[in-house]
């Protein structure tokens, strides 16, 4: 058993999540990294590498590719060939290079909103247009508006769908039927698909992630162990693309964007995670699911007006606080400055996030509960 209740101090370690504010009283439950130490196998692999003492340029070994292909075959039933894999420094750079390779400036890139905030900048930085396809919200259950998606895909200026599978920030885990329908619409209108699957390992309550690569070989899939194993600072991610000509264009874009070199710690961490970290990951998911259940109980007892979106994946709870009648950004600022707990305002993820807060529950349970108590105290003062 691993101890996820351990209180690892992060304040003062140049940690973006904790050190972006000088206020030592604030509990940060916003940016998407976890307050848990990573899997012991990863720590041990990095310790051994540090003892070597030389940290030059890294040659990515065959064992790296074997770790990826074996993991996805064993855990998710997705068979990947080594030659399909391109490594890079992170999923955000991967999004950018994929868009660069698959579009021309002025093209439209469709995304389901609310959407991860960096998607917007990655699209615009490549000279493309953000084309929003808002998700349908049926009393907290989010789903894809297929009719609107078909209309957007039929516009020949829209060339790519940037799909988040599982979806951040709503926590939706798309089903095989949903993904198949998305693919059928895009294929019909010759719209290419980029699937960001960085949160794929974080699933709960018997739910299963469906790799988009098991729907079609045509899509470009982006992934990393960084979210599931809390190693985002080690800067490692992969782009999986079967089509050789497209892969060559992506590889060229990686070099144009100068994100072709990775560090030795990221490479070793990925191998340790995929080869030795499965039990740790399973226990992590159980713990986070326990956090979510505790949050739901707390909200039902103390803030029943807040609508909690059912969590199927990620460790990010999408909370509808619109009953207060306060703009999301104003509410988040009030919580941070007066309530001493920091959440992400829903409008960080586009206009369709108005009225929502995104709450990161990947922390020791008692810390999460204290953050929620501060939230409830603040909300009671507001109303």
């Amino acid at each position: 058993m691993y101890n996820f209740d351990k209180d690892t101090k992060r304040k003062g370690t140049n940690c973006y999540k904790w050190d972006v504010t000088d206020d030592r009283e604030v509990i940060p439950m916003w940016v998407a990294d976890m307050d848990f130490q990573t899997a012991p196998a990863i720590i041990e692999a990095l310790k051994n590498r540090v003892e070597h003492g030389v940290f030059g340029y890294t040659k990515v070994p065959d064992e790296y590719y074997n770790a990826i292909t074996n993991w996805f075959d064993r855990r998710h039933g997705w068979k990947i060939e080594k030659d399909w894999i391109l490594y890079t420094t992170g999923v955000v750079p991967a999004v950018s290079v994929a868009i660069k390779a698959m579009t021309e400036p002025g093209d439209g890139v469709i995304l389901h909103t609310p959407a991860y905030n960096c998607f917007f900048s990655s699209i615009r930085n490549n000279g493309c247009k953000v084309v929003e396809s808002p998700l349908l919200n049926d009393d907290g259950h989010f789903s894809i508006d297929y009719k609107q998606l078909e209309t957007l895909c039929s516009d020949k200026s829209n060339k790519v769908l940037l799909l988040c599978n599982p979806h951040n920030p709503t926590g939706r885990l798309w089903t095989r039927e949903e993904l198949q329908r998305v693919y059928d619409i895009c294929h019909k209108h010759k719209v290419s698909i980029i699937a960001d699957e960085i949160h794929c390992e974080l699933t709960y309550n018997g739910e299963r992630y469906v790799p988009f690569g098991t729907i079609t070989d045509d899509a470009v899939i982006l992934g990393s162990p960084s979210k599931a194993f809390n190693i985002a600072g080690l800067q490692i991610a992969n782009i999986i693309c079967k089509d050789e000509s497209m892969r060559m264009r992506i590889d060229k874009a990686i070099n144009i964007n100068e994100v072709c070199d990775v560090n030795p710690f990221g490479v070793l961490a990925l191998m340790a995670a995929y080869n030795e970290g499965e039990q740790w990951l399973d226990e992590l998911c159980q713990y986070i699911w326990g956090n979510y259940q505790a949050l739901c109980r707390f909200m039902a007892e103390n803030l029943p007006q807040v609508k909690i979106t059912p969590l199927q994946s990620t460790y990010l709870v999408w909370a509808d606080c619109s009953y207060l009648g306060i703009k999301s950004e104003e509410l988040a600022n009030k919580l941070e400055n007066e309530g001493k707990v920091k959440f992400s305002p829903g409008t960080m993820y586009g206009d369709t996030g108005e009225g929502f807060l995104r709450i990161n529950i990947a922390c020791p349970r008692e810390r999460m509960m204290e953050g929620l108590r501060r939230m409830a105290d603040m909300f009671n003062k507001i109303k």
Side-chain angles (χ1 to χ4, degrees):
M1 291 289 293
Y2 300 99
N3 182 14
F4 296 102
D5 288 312
K6 180 180 178 181
D7 184 8
T8 301
K9 303 298 183 184
R10 302 186 69 192
K11 190 75 176 175
T13 62
N14 297 320
C15 164
Y16 189 74
K17 181 179 181 181
W18 282 81
D19 291 329
V20 74
T21 176
D22 292 330
D23 191 338
R24 302 189 70 86
E25 294 183 23
V26 171
I27 296 176
M29 297 173 65
W30 63 297
V31 70
D33 74 7
M34 301 190 285
D35 287 339
F36 309 123
Q37 289 188 345
T38 190
I42 296 175
I43 296 171
E44 188 64 24
L46 298 182
K47 281 182 179 177
N48 292 338
R49 185 65 180 83
V50 166
E51 288 178 359
H52 180 261
V54 180
F55 313 111
Y57 296 117
T58 298
K59 177 184 180 295
V60 176
D62 286 342
E63 290 83 358
Y64 176 89
Y65 300 99
N66 292 339
I68 297 167
T69 57
N70 290 338
W71 174 270
F72 281 97
D73 186 12
R74 179 177 73 251
R75 192 167 177 92
H76 303 298
W78 181 24
K79 296 187 182 300
I80 304 168
E81 299 293 333
K82 171 189 172 182
D83 292 344
W84 304 355
I85 302 169
L86 298 169
Y87 58 79
T88 187
T89 56
V91 165
V92 172
V95 169
S96 183
V97 298
I99 292 172
K100 182 184 290 292
M102 299 167 73
T103 65
E104 298 290 339
D107 287 345
V109 178
I110 303 166
L111 73 166
H112 296 120
T113 54
Y116 174 49
N117 51 299
C118 288
F119 285 175
F120 295 93
S121 56
S122 292
I123 293 168
R124 291 172 180 142
N125 289 345
N126 280 287
C128 294
K129 297 180 298 183
V130 174
V131 180
E132 296 191 34
S133 179
L135 296 174
L136 301 173
N137 181 4
D138 181 10
D139 197 30
H141 177 78
F142 286 84
S143 60
I144 295 166
D145 187 337
Y146 297 105
K147 183 177 180 180
Q148 184 188 59
L149 180 62
E150 178 110 34
T151 299
L152 296 175
C153 286
S154 67
D155 183 340
K156 295 187 184 302
S157 67
N158 296 331
K159 301 298 176 63
V160 169
L161 169 67
L162 179 50
L163 177 72
C164 198
N165 174 43
H167 188 263
N168 173 17
T170 68
R172 262 307 313 273
L173 193 62
W174 306 121
T175 66
R176 181 168 296 278
E177 291 73 23
E178 288 172 315
L179 294 175
Q180 184 66 56
R181 193 167 178 185
V182 167
Y183 172 72
D184 290 343
I185 291 170
C186 290
H187 182 70
K188 174 182 175 182
H189 297 286
K190 297 181 171 57
V191 171
S192 300
I193 298 172
I194 302 168
D196 171 3
E197 302 192 344
I198 193 171
H199 289 278
C200 69
E201 306 300 343
L202 299 163
T203 63
Y204 313 110
N205 200 29
E207 300 277 5
R208 300 294 296 176
Y209 144 75
V210 178
F212 204 83
T214 64
I215 303 293
T216 176
D217 289 336
D218 295 341
V220 174
I221 313 297
L222 316 178
S224 170
S226 61
K227 293 300 180 193
F229 290 92
N230 206 29
I231 54 172
L234 299 184
Q235 301 286 287
I236 194 73
N238 297 289
I239 302 169
I240 300 169
C241 177
K242 182 179 181 181
D243 182 86
E244 185 177 6
S245 62
M246 176 58 69
R247 195 165 63 247
M248 290 176 65
R249 292 202 298 275
I250 293 172
D251 193 34
K252 181 178 179 181
I254 288 172
N255 283 273
I256 290 171
N257 281 20
E258 304 289 4
V259 287
C260 49
D261 289 323
V262 291
N263 74 67
F265 300 110
V267 173
L268 287 171
L270 179 144
M271 291 190 292
Y274 287 163
N275 291 336
E276 303 175 71
E278 197 157 4
Q279 182 179 344
W280 180 91
L281 176 61
D282 289 341
E283 292 188 24
L284 168 77
C285 289
Q286 291 174 9
Y287 188 88
I288 293 173
W289 179 247
N291 273 4
Y292 173 70
Q293 291 176 305
L295 176 144
C296 289
R297 289 192 296 270
F298 179 89
M299 291 297 188
E301 294 170 6
N302 298 277
L303 291 173
Q305 306 96 321
V306 175
K307 295 179 182 178
I308 299 298
T309 303
L311 186 68
Q312 297 174 315
S313 184
T314 82
Y315 45 73
L316 307 164
V317 173
W318 192 235
D320 184 349
C321 308
S322 58
Y323 81 96
L324 289 171
I326 298 176
K327 297 289 187 182
S328 291
E329 189 167 354
E330 180 185 347
L331 180 58
N333 288 338
K334 203 171 188 66
L335 283 162
E336 179 179 0
N337 296 326
E338 299 177 39
K340 304 302 180 183
V341 59
K342 184 175 177 61
F343 303 135
S344 297
T347 45
M348 180 179 287
Y349 312 101
D351 292 342
T352 56
E354 185 60 85
F356 287 82
L357 295 172
R358 196 188 76 168
I359 303 172
N360 181 345
I361 62 169
C363 61
R365 191 159 300 151
E366 183 48 44
R367 182 181 300 155
M368 180 193 75
M369 296 307 298
E370 175 58 26
L372 295 179
R373 286 190 286 268
R374 295 182 185 188
M375 177 185 184
D377 289 345
M378 193 74 247
F379 277 30
N380 289 328
K381 289 177 184 177
I382 291 171
K383 72 177 185 179

